[in-house]
Amino acid sequence: GDSVTQMEGPVTLSEEAFLTINCTYTATGYPSLFWYVQYPGEGLQLLLKATKADDKGSNKGFEATYRKETTSFHLEKGSVQVSDSAVYFCALSPGTASKLTFGTGTRLQVTL
Amino acid sequence: GAGVSQTPSNKVTEKGKYVELRCDPISGHTALYWYRQSLGQGPEFLIYFQGTGAADDSGLPNDRFFAVRPEGSVSTLKIQRTERGDSAVYLCASSLLGTRSGELFFGEGSRLTVL
């Protein structure tokens, strides 16, 4: 079945450091790919998405490129801020069903 | 309010009891989803409604779990004969377009603790 694998956290970075959170997926067909973020005390919210191969999703300085050849959708940010501290979830939606399959989440902690 | 609303935010119950969790989606969203999130895990799909009907209930773990959406808006997740393993945060989400190209809007969840 469909699955998403994320790097385990927590990831601890100093402010202004470069961030990469790895995400790989297994799916039949051509899924859409997503990154969701959960800030402390808040519900999950969409960060960015890509619906086809080679698409790049971007938002709030975060980027991720849909790589079909490596089945990956790694999240990157050039300079993190303390306010980026949250749990990040990679997810996919298969072409044949309207639901999301999530990874286990990666907690990011950014310090001054 | 403008977002997805879930009640109660916290529920503590005893093993064997019956529980109902309510979700009020964003007005106009026809798609509604229930997910379950255990500690340290990602959300796990339970059921998806399109309008009043359950379009996909493949994630419901067993027949103790049931969900309804009688008027195509508010939904209730019902858990019978609760077990300690049911303890988790139950998330509701709604969407205008579904997941393929649209965005799911999540509520803050209902934390269920079964003693």
Side-chain angles (χ1 to χ4, degrees):
Chain A
D2 299 335
S3 65
V4 176
T5 302
Q6 291 182 235
M7 63 187 286
E8 289 192 19
V11 174
T12 303
L13 295 173
S14 298
E15 201 170 43
E16 299 183 4
F18 183 85
L19 168 71
T20 300
I21 301 178
N22 288 339
C23 170
T24 57
Y25 67 89
T26 302
T28 53
Y30 302 96
S32 291
L33 301 174
F34 305 82
W35 278 99
Y36 275 77
V37 59
Q38 188 169 33
Y39 297 104
E42 298 184 18
L44 278 162
Q45 55 188 273
L46 179 66
L47 180 60
L48 53 83
K49 67 181 181 184
T51 57
K52 62 182 187 298
D54 300 325
D55 268 2
K56 178 185 284 189
S58 61
N59 186 24
K60 300 181 180 180
F62 291 89
E63 293 183 337
T65 301
Y66 186 161
R67 301 286 189 201
K68 193 170 190 302
E69 63 276 14
T70 54
T71 61
S72 65
F73 193 55
H74 304 321
L75 182 68
E76 296 182 336
K77 187 173 185 182
S79 175
V80 293
Q81 306 300 311
V82 171
S83 57
D84 294 327
S85 298
V87 182
Y88 293 81
F89 293 90
C90 186
L92 70 81
S93 174
T96 55
S98 185
K99 61 184 177 185
L100 291 176
T101 297
F102 285 89
T104 54
T106 302
R107 180 175 298 279
L108 172 65
Q109 181 74 41
V110 181
T111 59
L112 290 171
Chain B
V4 176
S5 176
Q6 292 188 245
T7 55
S9 55
N10 274 288
K11 175 72 177 177
V12 180
T13 190
E14 293 180 343
K15 181 174 177 298
K17 298 290 189 184
Y18 170 79
V19 165
E20 288 190 353
L21 306 175
R22 175 190 167 104
C23 173
D24 201 339
I26 293 172
S27 177
H29 281 189
T30 57
L32 185 147
Y33 302 79
W34 283 100
Y35 281 80
R36 177 169 70 174
Q37 187 174 15
S38 301
L39 194 63
Q41 301 297 313
E44 173 192 19
F45 170 78
L46 295 177
I47 186 170
Y48 154 55
F49 287 90
Q50 184 59 250
T52 60
D56 184 349
D57 65 357
S58 61
L60 294 177
N62 51 59
D63 62 5
R64 295 187 298 105
F65 289 74
F66 189 70
V68 295
R69 195 185 185 199
E71 297 178 357
S73 178
V74 170
S75 176
T76 305
L77 179 66
K78 308 181 181 198
I79 310 173
Q80 299 177 318
R81 303 183 304 279
T82 52
E83 300 177 356
R84 293 195 179 89
D86 299 335
S87 296
V89 177
Y90 289 82
L91 301 173
C92 178
S94 70
S95 174
L96 195 57
L97 297 174
T99 58
R100 179 65 184 167
S101 58
E103 175 178 353
L104 263 58
F105 293 83
F106 282 84
E108 292 185 28
S110 293
R111 182 179 298 278
L112 175 66
T113 303
V114 181
L115 301 176

